[in-house]
């Protein structure tokens, strides 16, 4: 019995979906613990490419239990659509459960997400999915939870606590007409009909799986630098994607997590606003974007691309307590003559080894690079470490040394069989 948390070590989109799917072949339970449908996780199974926003990436294995934990904010409309999409593709969701405690994203959250973003002097570039406003209501203790969808009375009771306030805010501040209570009740009761059968005490389900000695994978969304506490605040999301968020996000004790795997790209990307020290705004950046198909899974926005930033990943190793790395998209660098790694920052003539919290300072930081020779060989068919060109092996060893964490998995393409497992996780 092993419990593994899998987290993004950069600004999201590290390939968590792919690695979760690969690891799920040996896991009994896969659970999401935070975020919502701001996430876009890609899984390639055979000829098919699936994009998941809420359903855990373990769903493609019959018999693997998939849980949406209490720490996730759930847009029931999106969940219903995702379930029907999976059914249309012939994927069963018979083993999918949703925490009754998970908070519900309402239409006013989506609207407020956009309106508030419009008001910000410093735009965050949110996904506009209502994630931030839904977490705000959770912490304001006026959120609607999945269990409130169980009956008309409970939904009305929950809505009456919050809707008058939201409507005042929308009407008085934003000149928006607001939402009709009865229409919302009807709409959400209809989602409830589809989703209530999936509701469960997911913390208990995980505990029972542990008692049976089963292997459990906790699938993070977003990434460490988007963490509301540890990320590049305020250009962050509103949850804790770091490993520390996994225990409360599914209802287990922190001492029950045995390993923390960080998924890390062989370079760096970011969607949305905020500082990015190793960003490449040149032809190399464009080449990486093209080769890595770096366009948002959720919003389609082009991702900003840059070199591997060892300062960020070193930080990620620390704040997550990473026990191993899963390095992805290494093949994207195949075409390059040289590869660079940002090993430290220069700030006003000083060398910084650690990430500063002050964004004004971070904005001024310049990357200090070390340059390694590229391998300029197609590695997408590599099946073992020994199959990788010497220079690619050296790049991996260099990264390991820079960040102080062993690489456990290397991904050389989006497919399942394009994965080199150096040390098994389960
Ligand atoms: P996630 O949000 O962390 O799950 O990552 P996304 O799915 O948003 O973005 C990762 C993208 O990279 C997806 O299109 C994956 O199919 C793709 N991908 C994952 N691993 C690899 C890899 O090793 N090589 C290549 N070329 N693509 C990969
Ligand atoms: P996955 O799980 C990359 C970014 C948004 C924005 C900021 C806040 O696919 O890695 P939000 O809508 O969460 O309030 O937006 O966070 N962001 C992501 N970037 N991958 C994600 O998820 C992201 N989820 C949110 O672009 O900058
Ligand atoms: Mg993504």
């Amino acid at each position: 019995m092993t419990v593994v948390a899998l987290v993004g070590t950069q600004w999201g989109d590290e390939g968590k979906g792919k690695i979760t799917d690969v690891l799920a072949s040996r896991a009994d339970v896969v659970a999401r613990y935070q975020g919502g449908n701001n996430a876009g996780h890609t899984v390639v199974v055979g000829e098919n490419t699936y994009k998941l926003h809420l359903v855990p990436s373990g769903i493609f294995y019959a018999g693997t239990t998939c849980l949406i934990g209490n720490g996730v904010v759930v847009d029931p409309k999106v969940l219903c659509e995702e379930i029907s999409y999976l059914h249309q593709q012939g994927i069963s969701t018979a083993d999918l459960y949703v925490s009754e405690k998970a908070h519900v994203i309402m239409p006013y959250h989506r609207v407020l997400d956009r309106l508030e973003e419009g008001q910000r002097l410093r735009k965050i570039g949110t996904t506009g999915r209502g994630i931030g406003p839904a977490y705000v209501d959770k912490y304001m203790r006026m959120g609607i939870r999945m269990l409130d969808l169980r009956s008309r009375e409970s939904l009305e009771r929950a809505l009456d606590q919050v809707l008058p306030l939201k409507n005042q805010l929308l009407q008085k501040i934003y000149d928006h007409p607001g939402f009709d209570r009865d229409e919302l009740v009807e709409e959400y009761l209809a989602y409830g009909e589809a989703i209530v059968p999936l509701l469960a005490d997911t913390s208990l389900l995980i505990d029972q799986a542990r008692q049976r000695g089963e292997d459990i994978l906790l699938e993070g969304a977003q990434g460490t630098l988007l963490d509301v506490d540890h990320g590049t605040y305020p250009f962050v999301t509103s949850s804790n994607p770091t490993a520390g968020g996994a225990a409360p996000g599914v209802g287990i004790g922190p001492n029950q997590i045995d390993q923390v795997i960080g998924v890390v790209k062989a370079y760096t990307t970011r969607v949305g606003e905020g500082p990015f020290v190793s960003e490449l705004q040149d032809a190399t950046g464009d080449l990486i974007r093209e080769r890595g198909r770096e366009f948002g899974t959720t919003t389609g926005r082009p991702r900003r691309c840059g070199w591997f930033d060892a300062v960020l990943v070193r930080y990620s190793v620390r704040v997550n307590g990473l026990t191993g790395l899963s390095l992805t998209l290494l093949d994207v660098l195949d075409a390059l003559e040289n590869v660079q790694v940002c090993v430290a920052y220069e700030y006003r003539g000083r060398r910084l080894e650690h990430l500063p919290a002050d964004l004004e300072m971070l904005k001024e930081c310049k990357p200090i690079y070390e340059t390694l020779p590229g391998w300029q060989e197609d590695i997408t068919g590599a099946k073992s470490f020994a199959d990788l060109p010497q220079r690619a092996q050296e790049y991996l060893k260099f990264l390991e040394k820079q960040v102080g964490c062993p690489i456990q998995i290397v991904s050389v393409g989006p497919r399942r069989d394009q994965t080199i497992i150096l040390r098994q996780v389960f």
Side-chain angles (χ1 to χ4, degrees), residues 13-18 40-42 44 297 303 328-332 411-414:
D13 304 324
E14 298 91 347
K16 298 176 294 295
K18 173 192 163 163
H41 294 185
T42 313
V44 178
T297 309
R303 295 174 182 152
T328 54
L329 293 121
L330 185 61
D331 54 296
V332 172
S411 174
V412 293

Side-chain angles (χ1 to χ4, degrees), residues 1-178:
M1 184 266 305
T2 308
V3 181
V4 176
L6 179 137
V7 303
T9 57
Q10 295 153 318
W11 278 295
D13 304 324
E14 298 91 347
K16 298 176 294 295
K18 173 192 163 163
I19 302 301
T20 299
D21 169 69
V22 167
L23 297 181
S25 68
R26 297 163 74 109
D28 302 288
V29 178
V30 180
R32 278 275 308 265
Y33 59 86
Q34 46 66 238
N37 60 310
N38 46 352
H41 294 185
T42 313
V43 178
V44 178
V45 185
E47 297 298 301
N48 300 317
T49 299
Y50 302 96
K51 295 190 186 296
L52 299 171
H53 301 285
L54 275 169
V55 173
S57 305
I59 198 73
F60 303 99
Y61 296 94
T64 298
T65 301
C66 285
L67 307 178
I68 297 178
N70 55 277
V72 176
V73 284
V74 179
D75 187 327
K77 181 172 190 279
V78 173
L79 181 59
C80 288
E81 285 165 2
E82 197 156 297
I83 290 171
S84 3
Y85 156 75
L86 288 168
H87 290 173
Q88 279 160 18
Q89 307 290 317
I91 312 293
S92 163
T93 58
D95 296 310
L96 173 68
Y97 299 93
V98 182
S99 169
E100 53 200 1
K101 293 183 188 165
H103 280 248
V104 178
I105 297 181
M106 301 294 291
Y108 45 79
H109 293 135
R110 291 193 295 262
V111 168
L112 281 169
D113 200 357
R114 290 170 201 270
L115 292 172
E116 285 165 353
E117 179 79 354
Q119 290 292 313
R120 278 190 188 105
L121 293 178
R122 279 195 299 200
K123 308 266 181 252
I124 298 172
T126 75
T127 59
R129 302 298 190 263
I131 308 295
Y135 277 116
V136 166
D137 280 4
K138 171 174 173 173
Y139 289 98
M140 287 276 279
R141 285 139 303 164
M142 53 190 221
I144 295 179
R145 295 189 295 168
M146 294 307 289
L147 53 80
D148 294 319
L149 302 183
R150 281 203 176 118
S151 72
R152 180 177 295 273
E153 298 74 60
S154 55
L155 181 56
E156 285 179 350
R157 200 181 318 121
L159 204 52
D160 287 342
Q161 292 291 326
V162 56
L163 189 61
L165 278 166
K166 295 293 164 191
N167 276 342
Q168 282 201 43
L169 176 65
L170 285 167
Q171 289 157 0
K172 294 191 178 153
I173 307 277
Y174 292 110
D175 202 22
H176 180 280

Side-chain angles (χ1 to χ4, degrees), residues 241-253:
T242 45
V250 294
I252 61 171

